[in-house]
Amino acid sequence: EFRRVLFRSQRVERRFQTMNRQITRDFDNFANSARTVLATIGVGLIARDVVELGDTWTVVGNRLAFAGVQSERLAATQELVANIASNTRADLDATADLFSRMYRSSQDLGASLQDVARVTELVNKALAGASQSERVSAIRQLGQGLGAGRLQGDELRSILENSRPIAEAIAREFETTVGNLKKLGQEGRLESR
């Protein structure tokens, strides 16, 4: 009787060890498969990000060229805009849009490339408290307003909602209050000087 119990317990132990080895092997296979899948996804995400960055870089170059940046200064200006976006943690495309619109507008005013870069940086910094989507919206709207030579409608509303420091700077320039900017915008009186 004792031998039978001992024999059964040894058989149970062998089954347990076999099951344990099988579970360990299955888990290792699963872990390896999971690592392979995650690595593949990671490579795919990195590749997608590189393609998107390349596309954005091309768009930035095109915006600057269209704004009138001379071809021999294009690469350096692209790098300047990228540094502004990076240093202020702003969207590169939106920063390039603002820079290029201000650059186009500034040529009539005699402002230098460095002046435009400084103002672009200040605008990005003034939007530091806003969410990324609010920042992108305000930068684009301000750029569009500057490009049109007049700040009103959606452009003005976006600035008033998303960037108090920019709104205050505009109000000071027009010798009025932030509250009065909307009225001046509706009247078409917020124009480039």
Side-chain angles (χ1 to χ4, degrees), residues 171-187:
R172 273 193 307 276
E173 181 64 26
F174 284 89
E175 299 175 350
T176 189
T177 64
V178 171
N180 200 33
L181 286 177
K182 189 173 182 180
K183 180 182 175 208
L184 292 176
Q186 288 171 340
E187 294 171 356

Side-chain angles (χ1 to χ4, degrees), residues 19 23 50 64 118 123 131 137 143 146 148 155 168 170 174 176:
M19 284 178 21
I23 289 170
V50 168
L64 296 173
R118 181 72 183 131
V123 167
S131 72
S137 175
L146 290 170
E155 293 91 2
E168 289 171 351
I170 293 169
F174 284 89
T176 189

Side-chain angles (χ1 to χ4, degrees), residues 72-124:
E72 63 271 3
R73 298 176 76 185
L74 190 59
T77 306
Q78 266 181 293
E79 190 173 330
L80 176 67
V81 170
N83 287 337
I84 292 169
S86 177
N87 293 340
T88 59
R89 297 188 173 158
D91 180 77
L92 175 59
D93 188 41
T95 301
D97 184 42
L98 175 63
F99 182 94
S100 63
R101 289 176 190 269
M102 284 197 307
Y103 185 75
R104 211 174 312 133
S105 299
S106 71
Q107 291 174 346
D108 295 336
L109 303 173
S112 71
L113 188 90
Q114 292 305 321
D115 293 334
V116 174
R118 181 72 183 131
V119 172
T120 302
E121 184 175 3
L122 290 172
V123 167
N124 278 356

Side-chain angles (χ1 to χ4, degrees), residues 98 101-102 122-124 126-128 130 133-147 150-172 174 177-179 181-182 185 190:
L98 175 63
R101 289 176 190 269
M102 284 197 307
L122 290 172
V123 167
N124 278 356
L127 294 167
S133 63
E134 290 171 337
R135 289 175 77 164
V136 169
S137 175
I139 289 170
R140 283 202 195 288
Q141 297 295 344
L142 179 60
Q144 289 172 4
L146 290 170
R150 179 175 293 178
L151 195 57
Q152 60 188 26
D154 289 338
E155 293 91 2
L156 180 59
R157 185 173 26 262
S158 181
I159 291 164
L160 292 173
E161 290 173 0
N162 297 317
S163 179
R164 183 72 182 190
I166 293 173
E168 289 171 351
I170 293 169
R172 273 193 307 276
F174 284 89
T177 64
V178 171
L181 286 177
K182 189 173 182 180
L190 296 177

